[in-house]
Amino acid sequence: MSEDNDKPEAPGSGREHISPIPEQKDPGSLQHREIVVSDELSVEKQIDLTQKSYSQGELIRRRFFRHKGAMASLAFLVFITLMAVSSIGYGIIPGWWDKDYYSAAFVENGGRPTLSLFPPVWGEYPFGQEDAGKDYFALTMRGTQRSLIIAFTVGIMSTLVGTLIGAIAGYFRGWIEAILMRITDLFIVIPLLVMAAVLGQVSGGGIWPLAIMLSLVTWTGLARLVRGEVLSLRERDFVMAAEAVGTSSRRIIFKHILPNTIGTIIVSATLSIAAVILLESALSFLGFGVKAPDTSLGQLISIYQNSFTVRPWLFWWPGMIILGIALSVNFLGDGLRDAFDPRQSRSD
Amino acid sequence: MLRFILRRLGVSALILVLGSVFLFFITVFSGDPLEDLRESRDRNREQLIAARERNMNLNEPWYARYWIWAVGVGKCVTLNCDLGTDSRGADIGTALMNAAGSTLRLVTLATALAIIIGITMGILAAIRQYSGFDYIVTFAAFLFFSLPVFWVAVLLKEYGAIRFNNWMADPSISLTAGIVIGVLFGLVIASLLGGDLRRKLITFAVSALVAFGAVTYFDSVEWWRQPALGLGLIILIALGAAVLLTYLAVGRSNLKILYAGLTTIAAGVVGTFVFGGWIESPTYPLLLLMLAISVVAAIVIGWFWGGWDKRIAIWVSVGTAVAFAGATALDQLLRNWGPFLDRKPRPISTIGSGSPNFDGPFWTGVWDWGVQLILPTIVLTVISLASYSRYTRASMLETIRQDYVRTARSKGLSERVVITKHALRNALIPITTIVAFDFAGLIGGAVVTESVFGWKGMGAMFQEGLTRVDPGPVMAFYLVTGTAAVLMNMIADISYAFLDPRIRT
Amino acid sequence: MTTTTDNTSGAVLDFTDVDVRFSTEFGSVHAVKGVSLHVQPGEVVALVGESGSGKSVTSMTAMRLLPGNARIGGEITVNGQGIRTLSEGAMRRLRGNDIAMVFQEPMTALNPVLTIGTQMTEALELHGIASGKAAVQRAIELLDMVGIPDPERRVKQYPHELSGGQRQRVVIAIAISCDPKVIIADEPTTALDVTVQADILDLLRSLKDKLNTGILLITHNMGVVADMADRVAVMFKGDLVETGTADEVLLNPQHDYTKMLLSAVPRLGAGRAQMGINISEDSVDESADLAIDLENLVIEYQRLGKAPFRAVDDVSFQVRQGEIVGLVGESGSGKSTIGRCALGLIPAAGGSFRLLGEDITGMNRKQLKSIRRRIGVIFQDPAASLNPRLPIGECISEPLVVHKVGNRKSQEQKVYELLDAVELPREVFNRYPHEVSGGQRQRISIARALTLDPELLVADEPTSALDVSVQAKVLNIFSDLQARYKFACLFISHDLAVIDLLAHQVVVLQSGKVVEAGPREQVLMDPQEEYTQRLLAAAPVPHPGEQRTRREERHALLRQLGDEIAEIKGGGQEFHDKAGGV
């Protein structure tokens, strides 16, 4: 490829006047040269084809599984969910626990719990009995089921809605963005809990209508986050390149932009589940959430808060379960955040 | 800048109006306001229904009812608000006046505390990343995030009120309890101050011993029922403030600044003798007057000592003066704990925001509503503190990585100046927005807290209104909280511009 | 390894066998492997190397500002004091007073929320040179010294109110404020435009001449080395591979790495056939169709509450089929804006933009799509140019999928061909972008741009984020591909030497307007316009003697144009007296 290098310069080609660039006449000048960038002299990282290839997703999964706190939280969450579903059963799934949550019975030993760790005894009424003698274990499990259903439904629904609206608002800007921002502003003047309380009142106390109503008020946070990320991603070169090729907007959003916001979405969805558990229980406590005959953990605390001095277990069990679920979901979210964004991780 | 604020204010007003329409609409359609009466078997059922329909304008369509409400609110311009009547015919405006006072007191105090404590904890956690303190703050934040408000509130009622009252009847601290308190205190102080292992151990030993000694001493002199600080401790506290502020502002180099603080303390001592009578039985205006006098005196002293750095000297002496005044007030308050206990043997009630018709001298009156404020404030502070400490930590870590922090270090500035002067201000910029945004959430939390502690505040008003499908009280609640939120946002905008010169122009 | 033979006594900065390791998640990284180096008063020592060579890490050991996971070995003395054993307080007194730093990014090196005055006076007060009003007065004098006009007003301003070059002058003013014995300048001009770079280098040079300050200059730019350095040290992967005077190292390099590095720098005016790049001169047919035809193009950015900003103002030029047109200009010249408009990413506010014969200014998305099929694009930032979630094969085949060309099998085949063309192994097909380096990513970008056999390629600074040796490789591949596929190309760059290598035609932009346009030889060898002359005169060449001549010529040009030459104002002795304390 160096053949033309030694060609005589064509007269009149303009190469003879090189002002203001001085001519290079020095013997030491490396004017005509060919570079040889050998591998050992290159600063460029060589592609190591011997190592296994990991996609971004696999790297994240590996980091996540190494996060001990998140793993413990996940185990706890799975345990609670399995316990709640399997003990008293759900729908057609039969339960292994022999009592139900609605039949009153004779109150034994003041309704004290029979559960003990040393020696490990499960007993007749592990969580005790409430005033009318109903088995409190079954009742708590029922409440846990209902609370989990609401939390997961709302978490999933608000994530879907929030992602979609956030992505559209961030990518197309315009009126959708304006509306999203105004709705966000609305939440500055109307507290989320107040809005949720009014909508909870509208829903009438069943868990499914309540879940839908809560989804209506909880998607905006994620939408705002996704919008922010999309706004910065759409300026990135690879999105520009996709646009320049003529890629359709739908493909750009779903193939190029959203996969890159998956971290934000998953983390936020996780954290919103914790928030919804707390929101639902607060609403039920105030009387605007789940109402009798249906039950939830918040509603149990609300009913039995005044028996705290006489029968503290009626208060402790549902409260500890709410705390446990919320705490483990929050830790799970933190583990996911570390996995998706190792820059903020504590192991760096 | 002014245009920017005015535009934001205009947008906020619009949002406020839209929000009111929305809230009114869904409240009206959240149920049947006559449900209980329809099922009732009362003989005068028809009359009751008619009365309620009249009180709530039920015969009008919802938009007409909204219009009536909006016109009434519009009269506020002439200081003549008309918020209508609730379902029982009571005037909402009057009820709101009583409710708003106690709720705003609660929320403001909790916000201020949460901001101060949360941001301090966040900064300390960030500059001691991966230390024991950092892990504790992080874990505490997660715990607080996950706590159901009402559940904590019920627990606090049990342990903070009922058992505390039992203990107060005959207060004494056992040796074991004293040791435990000492160890805990030592651990907290040691982890707060940091340093290497040796320094930590010394800090721990000293502070644990001091705490243990203090507790034992207090126990032996019956301090729990008759507490006081005394002039010596007041001076010590003010001295501490003066030294700390001087250190934070200029380091150890400039003695003039410290002299300004010391002079301020001397002036304060003279002041306590001059104004002794006023301090013992003051009124609020008198207290404010005394505070103003001490601040003015401090400014003069700072000016006199300042030299070429008058501004910093003034700041330090004013800070010292405020610390001195605060300690003096605290001393008076403590001295009146005994008299207060005589009037109210079980000091903390589980419900209510103060004893009805409490009658006593000024400082015992402060105790009366003050103790009722403690538990709900703890609850509210704890739940919002968590997010502030997390945000501050993240923001601070981000800032410490910036190039200009490296530039500051390369000039030879000490770590203290690098953190307080260069990093902190930049780290606070994003936090102002979050504080403003969270304010609405705090008001929401206040609804639950008030409900648990049986406060007749705005939360109760809202709850009752919503249960009765009565938009009047709900909208009154909205009017106050919405306006407060807008104001809070404006403050955030202004402090944003104050912190960040880039958006000032 | 070359050892220093000079007498090191009296050195203001001395590294002896410095060794740095970082402990990371993935084990220990040996960043600096035993480096010995010294700087005498009034001497500029250039520490040269590409990314990852450890040159910045070496210099930061002298400030003791490396992160906590660094383990340092060896001996470092600043002004005769061994700093390894100094207490933290003593080290702080040394920083600013004896050793100061100038950083790469003037945009981020100053605290955005503090005034220039505050940031200048704090060092003066800390080191007891002046305080209060006297410190402010001194800050004003310092700003005046480094050539900032109207310093009384500037001390009250915030960094965002100053331009990049002015900020770098402020950083230099802070660095010299306490009269340090040695200044470490870490890539002080890399983020600046070439004309600003020349000024800042002049200013730094006057520091050593007038104040007798020693300077450790860290840079990757051989032109800057030739312009500034008395002695040169070359680093490669943590090792010092060569040291010597500037003439020795630049003109007669001994180590293979230095030779390679020098050979990879494109030289302005050195003719076409450097680095094995051969863009044929006679391929352009005057009668060829126009790939791009701009007529009075105007592009505006809308701004909230203000008049729109006119980024491109009345620009006309043409690109013929098979021709490479270089679009040159400094930051803010509007060159990238034109590139984006060519891709239909930004609408034009006026004039016409004919792309491959069709006017795109009024086109809708669908009409654009058929045009876009015939255009390829390469962007600047290798970190952002590929979708991190897609495997490399999919990144390259994406245009084929979008335009529904061929089936899966044929698409795969095409990707393999392109990978061969950009000299990457076929195995990277299933790898992810984060697994390959920046230069390899830019090669993948080129492959992606060529998937649809475009008639026109828009390349927006494709190599400016790369190390020189990597850039050489990428440019090589680019030129081979152009020779093979004969596409027209709009090549946007700020680097005149690169343009000189590749372009047939050159268009010089300044503040959105065309200053000069024409064939390469005419514009680059015989510029008619003042701006083009300044631009060419400011570009340094990696040859000390030659660069000295060029510098003198530039100064002559500036004087002729009535401009000042950047230098420290005032005399040296007076300065030392003042900085000694009040």
Side-chain angles (χ1 to χ4, degrees):
Chain A
M1 70 170 85
S2 59
E3 285 156 4
D4 332 339
N5 288 7
D6 296 317
K7 262 191 202 164
E9 283 171 5
S13 66
R15 285 186 198 179
E16 48 290 67
H17 32 146
I18 333 181
S19 173
I21 300 163
E23 261 177 280
Q24 309 202 332
K25 290 184 194 125
D26 312 80
S29 158
L30 298 146
Q31 190 173 2
H32 297 291
R33 62 230 136 91
E34 178 135 352
I35 51 157
V36 190
V37 183
S38 64
D39 280 351
E40 57 268 29
L41 286 182
S42 169
V43 291
E44 212 169 6
K45 184 182 80 179
Q46 296 306 309
I47 309 170
D48 187 358
L49 292 169
T50 57
Q51 281 202 332
K52 187 184 170 328
S53 167
Y54 290 105
S55 70
Q56 292 263 311
E58 283 165 322
L59 288 172
I60 289 162
R61 233 167 292 145
R62 270 158 53 114
R63 278 199 292 267
F64 177 62
F65 286 130
R66 261 185 281 164
H67 195 286
K68 291 190 196 75
M71 282 298 101
S73 302
L74 189 63
F76 176 78
L77 213 57
V78 169
F79 171 74
I80 281 282
T81 312
L82 283 181
M83 193 78 169
V85 175
S86 73
S87 60
I88 56 166
Y90 180 75
I92 52 159
I93 308 168
W96 48 262
W97 187 240
D98 56 353
K99 297 185 186 60
D100 54 50
Y101 57 89
Y102 40 79
S103 329
F106 174 71
V107 180
E108 289 172 38
N109 190 20
R112 241 172 266 283
T114 53
L115 181 74
S116 87
L117 288 177
F118 301 104
V121 177
W122 192 245
E124 186 70 17
Y125 295 103
F127 284 14
Q129 284 170 293
E130 52 91 87
D131 316 24
K134 290 180 197 167
D135 175 39
Y136 206 55
F137 175 70
L139 207 52
T140 311
M141 287 300 118
R142 173 72 180 173
T144 310
Q145 267 185 16
R146 305 313 258 175
S147 288
L148 282 176
I149 289 173
I150 293 175
F152 279 94
T153 314
V154 176
I156 292 166
M157 280 185 15
S158 67
T159 301
L160 290 179
V161 176
T163 305
L164 199 68
I165 294 185
I168 291 172
Y171 189 73
F172 293 108
R173 318 287 306 267
W175 59 270
I176 298 177
E177 189 185 29
I179 289 179
L180 173 68
M181 294 324 281
R182 292 296 84 80
I183 292 178
T184 313
D185 285 345
L186 201 61
F187 278 93
I188 295 178
V189 290
I190 308 181
L192 176 68
L193 185 109
V194 167
M195 192 99 98
V198 181
L199 288 174
Q201 182 79 339
V202 174
S203 77
I207 62 161
W208 293 107
L210 182 68
I212 291 170
M213 286 300 172
L214 290 186
S215 306
L216 285 181
V217 292
T218 48
W219 58 269
T220 52
L222 177 64
R224 222 160 38 98
L225 280 178
V226 171
R227 167 186 163 271
E229 285 224 11
V230 172
L231 277 181
S232 85
L233 278 169
R234 71 199 284 270
E235 303 298 323
R236 294 275 280 280
D237 285 351
F238 69 86
V239 175
M240 291 269 191
E243 259 180 73
V245 164
T247 315
S248 67
S249 303
R250 221 177 70 173
R251 191 175 168 89
I252 289 182
I253 291 179
F254 286 104
K255 184 125 190 170
H256 295 283
I257 291 182
L258 280 184
N260 284 293
T261 62
I262 198 85
T264 311
I265 293 170
I266 289 183
V267 170
S268 162
T270 316
L271 297 180
S272 84
I273 287 176
V276 170
I277 283 264
L278 295 177
L279 180 63
E280 177 273 319
S281 57
L283 288 185
S284 302
F285 179 81
L286 288 176
F288 301 122
V290 176
K291 287 179 190 154
D294 218 330
T295 186
S296 80
L297 293 173
Q299 199 230 8
L300 287 176
I301 297 180
S302 176
I303 296 175
Y304 301 116
Q305 61 166 321
N306 291 325
S307 47
F308 185 57
T309 27
V310 255
R311 291 182 179 159
W313 57 89
L314 296 182
F315 173 82
W316 280 107
W317 289 117
M320 291 305 285
I321 291 178
I322 295 178
L323 178 61
I325 295 175
L327 196 58
S328 57
V329 172
N330 275 328
F331 269 118
L332 203 62
D334 189 52
L336 286 168
R337 195 198 330 257
D338 280 358
F340 279 108
D341 185 8
R343 201 168 57 95
Q344 292 199 340
S345 136
R346 357 198 83 245
S347 54
D348 64 358
Chain B
M1 185 59 215
L2 191 68
R3 251 183 57 193
F4 170 73
I5 290 178
L6 284 179
R7 198 173 64 217
R8 286 295 300 253
L9 209 59
V11 172
S12 303
L14 193 72
I15 295 294
L16 217 49
V17 172
L18 286 179
S20 73
V21 177
F22 177 72
L23 195 61
F24 196 95
F25 175 78
I26 54 170
T27 311
V28 165
F29 287 94
S30 70
D32 176 10
L34 297 174
E35 197 179 359
D36 55 326
L37 291 180
R38 282 190 223 285
E39 288 163 4
S40 115
R41 303 239 175 101
D42 243 334
R43 256 182 295 132
N44 56 352
R45 199 179 77 142
E46 297 308 317
Q47 280 156 295
L48 287 174
I49 291 183
R52 191 175 290 182
E53 281 176 341
R54 204 170 49 248
N55 290 335
M56 294 167 63
N57 302 313
L58 282 181
N59 293 323
E60 308 278 345
W62 75 271
Y63 46 86
R65 290 169 67 191
Y66 176 77
W67 183 245
I68 294 169
W69 176 81
V71 169
V73 171
K75 287 183 191 153
C76 287
V77 181
T78 58
L79 295 178
N80 193 16
C81 290
D82 175 15
L83 299 178
T85 52
D86 68 8
S87 59
R88 279 167 296 186
D91 183 48
I92 295 175
T94 329
L96 183 66
M97 291 303 257
N98 297 326
S102 59
T103 299
L104 287 181
R105 191 160 59 199
L106 174 64
V107 173
T108 317
L109 183 63
T111 309
L113 279 177
I115 290 173
I116 294 170
I117 302 174
I119 289 181
T120 315
M121 271 169 46
I123 293 167
L124 286 177
I127 55 181
R128 303 230 183 87
Q129 204 186 359
Y130 308 142
S131 70
F133 180 77
D134 183 24
Y135 283 110
I136 291 171
V137 169
T138 305
F139 183 78
F142 274 107
L143 187 68
F144 295 164
F145 265 140
S146 317
L147 283 175
V149 184
F150 50 93
W151 190 70
V152 186
V154 174
L155 279 183
L156 266 181
K157 256 163 62 168
E158 176 67 21
Y159 293 101
I162 299 172
R163 305 219 174 161
F164 177 78
N165 288 341
N166 293 345
W167 179 79
M168 207 63 217
D170 178 23
S172 72
I173 286 187
S174 68
L175 187 65
T176 343
I179 291 173
V180 169
I181 289 172
V183 167
L184 282 180
F185 188 75
L187 281 177
V188 170
I189 296 293
S191 66
L192 271 177
L193 293 184
D196 55 14
L197 188 66
R198 196 173 141 262
R199 219 183 110 185
K200 266 190 191 157
L201 278 177
I202 295 172
T203 325
F204 168 76
V206 171
S207 45
L209 272 179
V210 167
F212 177 72
V215 167
T216 329
Y217 173 74
F218 286 160
D219 207 31
S220 65
V221 297
E222 286 273 301
W223 197 81
W224 311 117
R225 290 190 69 92
Q226 292 157 342
L229 288 181
L231 192 58
L233 265 181
I234 294 175
I235 292 175
L236 216 60
I237 290 173
L239 201 62
V243 171
L244 186 74
L245 285 172
T246 311
Y247 179 68
L248 281 180
V250 292
R252 270 161 287 191
S253 54
N254 198 332
L255 280 179
K256 273 187 183 170
I257 309 260
L258 187 61
Y259 292 154
L262 294 181
T263 316
T264 312
I265 296 175
V269 175
V270 175
T272 46
F273 289 113
V274 176
F275 297 111
W278 281 7
I279 296 172
E280 269 168 38
S281 57
T283 56
Y284 284 110
L286 267 186
L287 276 182
L288 274 181
L289 179 69
M290 283 187 283
L291 186 67
I293 290 174
S294 38
V295 167
V296 169
I299 291 176
V300 172
I301 292 168
W303 178 265
F304 175 72
W305 274 111
W308 52 265
D309 240 345
K310 289 193 168 34
R311 224 166 49 121
I312 293 175
I314 288 173
W315 274 115
V316 168
S317 56
V318 167
T320 314
V322 170
F324 193 95
T328 315
L330 185 66
D331 179 54
Q332 280 305 317
L333 199 58
L334 288 176
R335 282 170 197 280
N336 279 282
W337 176 246
F340 173 63
L341 280 184
D342 295 340
R343 282 190 170 71
K344 200 177 168 196
R346 292 185 69 77
I348 304 184
S349 320
T350 50
I351 52 168
S353 52
S355 317
N357 313 319
F358 184 86
D359 182 34
F362 178 82
W363 290 111
T364 50
V366 173
W367 273 120
D368 183 55
W369 60 261
V371 288
Q372 291 312 110
L373 205 54
I374 295 175
L375 297 182
T377 306
I378 291 178
V379 173
L380 276 186
T381 308
V382 155
I383 49 171
S384 46
L385 172 117
S387 60
Y388 295 152
S389 75
R390 291 305 286 167
Y391 284 128
T392 310
R393 180 179 178 274
S395 173
M396 198 72 190
L397 285 178
E398 186 66 37
T399 313
I400 287 176
R401 269 199 283 261
Q402 297 296 314
D403 282 356
Y404 52 78
V405 171
R406 191 180 54 177
T407 310
R409 290 211 175 97
S410 78
K411 287 179 205 169
L413 297 177
S414 67
E415 211 44 36
R416 175 185 60 77
V417 179
V418 171
I419 298 293
T420 53
K421 192 169 173 184
H422 287 266
L424 181 58
R425 229 178 121 177
N426 284 286
L428 285 182
I429 291 171
I431 294 172
T432 51
T433 344
I434 289 161
V435 169
F437 212 83
D438 273 10
F439 191 70
L442 203 63
I443 294 174
V447 173
V448 180
T449 315
E450 283 183 7
S451 156
V452 180
F453 287 103
W455 279 41
K456 286 281 160 228
M458 289 198 303
M461 205 168 162
F462 165 77
Q463 201 184 353
E464 214 166 286
L466 185 56
T467 320
R468 291 170 191 274
V469 198
D470 182 0
V474 173
M475 295 313 288
F477 168 85
Y478 170 75
L479 208 58
V480 175
T481 58
T483 315
V486 167
L487 280 179
M488 195 67 192
N489 265 274
M490 212 171 70
I491 293 172
D493 279 345
I494 292 171
S495 49
Y496 202 107
F498 175 76
L499 287 170
D500 191 350
R502 282 164 294 188
I503 68 154
R504 246 179 265 166
T505 40
Chain C
M1 188 190 301
T2 326
T3 50
T4 43
T5 49
D6 311 56
N7 169 22
T8 61
S9 66
V12 283
L13 178 62
D14 189 17
F15 298 92
T16 312
D17 208 20
V18 170
D19 184 280
V20 183
R21 284 170 196 269
F22 292 100
S23 47
T24 69
E25 205 182 341
F26 310 104
S28 173
V29 175
H30 203 171
V32 179
K33 304 166 184 165
V35 166
S36 298
L37 188 70
H38 69 270
V39 182
Q40 302 281 356
E43 180 189 47
V44 176
V45 176
L47 193 54
V48 190
E50 295 181 286
S51 51
S53 61
K55 55 190 193 303
S56 286
V57 173
T58 308
S59 69
M60 288 303 266
T61 56
M63 295 295 284
R64 248 176 53 183
L65 283 177
L66 285 175
N69 62 341
R71 275 176 297 139
I72 304 166
E75 193 49 52
I76 305 147
T77 60
V78 173
N79 200 21
Q81 288 192 70
I83 63 153
R84 293 286 314 285
T85 51
L86 276 185
S87 73
E88 196 46 47
M91 187 63 219
R92 277 205 298 271
R93 278 191 291 283
L94 210 71
R95 283 186 206 130
N97 222 355
D98 290 324
I99 181 166
M101 262 197 106
V102 176
F103 296 100
Q104 171 173 357
E105 269 296 336
M107 293 304 180
T108 55
L110 293 172
N111 193 330
V113 303
L114 299 176
T115 59
I116 302 291
T118 314
Q119 297 188 57
M120 294 197 64
T121 53
E122 62 181 359
L124 293 170
E125 289 178 358
L126 180 77
H127 295 294
I129 289 166
S131 44
K133 288 213 177 70
V136 177
Q137 195 49 46
R138 182 72 189 139
I140 292 172
E141 285 172 28
L142 285 163
L143 288 182
D144 188 45
M145 279 179 73
V146 295
I148 289 184
D150 202 1
E152 287 86 359
R153 194 165 59 89
R154 292 295 185 193
V155 282
K156 295 194 195 92
Q157 284 186 324
Y158 291 92
H160 71 274
E161 295 169 84
L162 274 62
S163 71
Q166 280 178 331
R167 285 191 220 184
Q168 196 64 313
R169 284 170 194 255
V170 172
V171 173
I172 293 174
I174 292 176
I176 63 171
S177 63
C178 300
D179 191 19
K181 300 291 178 298
V182 59
I183 291 179
I184 297 176
D186 189 353
E187 304 267 11
T189 57
T190 306
L192 303 173
D193 280 325
V194 57
T195 50
V196 184
Q197 161 171 297
D199 283 344
I200 295 292
L201 292 180
D202 282 341
L203 185 63
L204 285 174
R205 191 176 308 102
S206 71
L207 277 186
K208 71 156 183 170
D209 292 342
K210 289 198 173 174
L211 308 182
N212 204 31
T213 316
I215 296 178
L216 181 64
L217 176 72
I218 292 146
T219 183
H220 68 281
N221 187 331
M222 287 300 183
V224 171
V225 175
D227 193 37
M228 287 286 294
D230 299 311
R231 286 191 301 121
V232 181
V234 184
M235 279 188 82
F236 172 63
K237 289 186 177 171
D239 277 318
L240 202 58
V241 294
E242 187 162 358
T243 51
T245 64
D247 283 340
E248 283 166 12
V249 174
L250 292 182
L251 301 181
N252 190 19
Q254 299 303 312
H255 194 276
D256 284 346
Y257 177 70
T258 320
K259 287 181 190 163
M260 186 280 294
L261 204 57
L262 282 166
S263 68
V265 183
R267 283 158 203 237
L268 194 53
R272 227 24 203 228
Q274 302 177 56
M275 296 151 50
I277 288 172
N278 48 345
I279 297 289
S280 78
E281 198 67 2
D282 40 41
S283 66
V284 189
D285 182 359
E286 283 297 314
S287 62
D289 286 343
L290 290 176
I292 293 181
D293 184 8
L294 295 190
E295 242 174 87
N296 311 102
L297 182 72
V298 176
I299 303 173
E300 286 178 343
Y301 286 111
Q302 301 300 323
R303 289 186 298 187
L304 200 68
K306 279 191 252 179
F309 171 71
R310 192 163 271 215
V312 173
D313 191 4
D314 195 22
V315 166
S316 310
F317 68 83
Q318 283 138 13
V319 180
R320 291 186 186 282
Q321 294 284 11
E323 182 182 53
I324 301 177
V325 172
L327 201 53
V328 192
E330 297 186 293
S331 51
S333 62
K335 56 189 193 302
S336 286
T337 307
I338 294 177
R340 290 196 174 183
C341 187
L343 300 165
L345 299 175
I346 304 176
S352 79
F353 198 134
R354 297 183 74 80
L355 209 54
L356 304 168
E358 292 177 62
D359 192 347
I360 61 160
T361 41
M363 275 190 179
N364 62 27
R365 226 184 149 86
K366 205 163 181 183
Q367 292 166 313
L368 265 178
K369 190 170 173 176
S370 62
I371 288 279
R372 280 171 163 168
R373 209 195 134 145
R374 299 156 66 191
I375 311 173
V377 58
I378 311 166
F379 285 113
Q380 171 177 3
D381 182 3
S385 57
L386 301 173
N387 186 344
R389 298 264 160 194
L390 291 186
I392 288 163
E394 269 189 56
C395 284
I396 299 176
S397 65
E398 178 76 2
L400 296 171
V401 177
V402 167
H403 289 281
K404 303 193 178 67
V405 180
N407 57 19
R408 212 182 158 74
K409 188 90 191 136
S410 73
Q411 287 172 356
E412 200 169 294
Q413 199 48 47
K414 178 80 187 175
V415 172
Y416 283 139
E417 277 170 33
L418 286 163
L419 283 175
D420 292 344
V422 296
E423 298 173 30
L424 284 171
R426 291 187 170 197
E427 284 83 353
V428 300
F429 190 96
N430 286 317
R431 302 259 153 180
Y432 285 86
H434 64 90
E435 296 179 85
V436 301
S437 70
Q440 288 154 351
R441 272 184 235 171
Q442 287 305 70
R443 273 140 77 181
I444 294 164
S445 289
I446 295 178
R448 177 181 58 189
L450 297 177
T451 23
L452 291 166
D453 301 317
E455 294 157 57
L456 170 69
L457 194 70
V458 177
D460 188 355
E461 305 253 20
T463 59
S464 51
L466 305 177
D467 282 314
V468 276
S469 64
V470 180
Q471 160 173 295
K473 178 90 181 162
V474 173
L475 290 180
N476 232 312
I477 289 171
F478 174 84
S479 69
D480 286 351
L481 289 172
Q482 206 272 337
R484 198 192 309 172
Y485 295 110
K486 302 278 181 231
F487 46 80
C489 178
L490 182 63
F491 197 98
I492 300 163
S493 179
H494 70 280
D495 190 336
L496 294 164
V498 170
I499 292 289
D500 189 28
L501 268 179
L502 297 177
H504 300 109
Q505 301 277 329
V506 178
V507 177
V508 183
L509 282 178
Q510 184 197 15
S511 318
K513 288 195 165 73
V514 174
V515 176
E516 192 163 0
R520 175 184 66 95
E521 295 85 349
Q522 185 195 315
V523 175
L524 295 184
M525 306 298 157
D526 185 20
Q528 300 304 309
E529 295 297 322
E530 181 193 318
Y531 178 71
T532 319
Q533 287 169 1
R534 278 175 194 254
L535 212 54
L536 282 164
V541 296
H543 186 295
E546 197 184 303
Q547 175 59 24
R548 199 170 305 124
T549 328
R550 280 176 57 81
R551 187 165 67 226
E552 275 149 23
E553 283 180 7
R554 172 170 175 270
H555 288 171
L557 175 72
L558 288 181
R559 271 187 222 102
Q560 181 197 328
L561 297 170
D563 279 3
E564 271 183 51
I565 292 150
E567 62 171 351
I568 288 286
K569 289 175 194 148
Q573 193 50 47
E574 187 194 0
F575 177 85
H576 290 308
D577 291 346
K578 281 203 174 175
V582 278

